[in-house]
Amino acid sequence: MGAWLLVAFLVPVTFMMHGFWRLQDSAQIHVQQAMFAKNVSMLGAALLLTQFGAGPVSVERDNS
């Protein structure tokens, strides 16, 4: 559930906050491209968690 909440948060925030295509300043474009790529990578990780779960680091794992 937490991973789905991250996905729901990251999709709109990534496009609203890091819209490098709207900028003119070269330095700001590079910074925003890096932040956009960071958010896309976090989005990918969250999507992987939604499909495969947390695995052995999960709080819900069976300790037997």
Side-chain angles (χ1 to χ4, degrees):
M1 182 66 164
W4 281 116
L5 291 172
L6 280 173
V7 169
F9 172 77
L10 283 170
V11 169
V13 166
T14 299
F15 289 100
M16 289 179 357
M17 298 297 291
H18 302 300
F20 60 89
W21 53 88
R22 295 186 300 250
L23 300 174
Q24 301 297 322
D25 181 34
S26 178
Q28 282 298 315
I29 289 172
H30 290 293
V31 169
Q32 291 305 318
Q33 279 179 329
M35 296 297 112
F36 185 87
K38 173 194 56 104
N39 278 24
V40 169
S41 69
M42 290 191 305
L43 179 59
L47 286 170
L48 282 172
L49 283 173
T50 65
Q51 297 305 304
F52 299 111
V57 297
S58 175
V59 175
E60 300 172 353
R61 74 174 187 222
D62 185 32
N63 289 329
S64 55

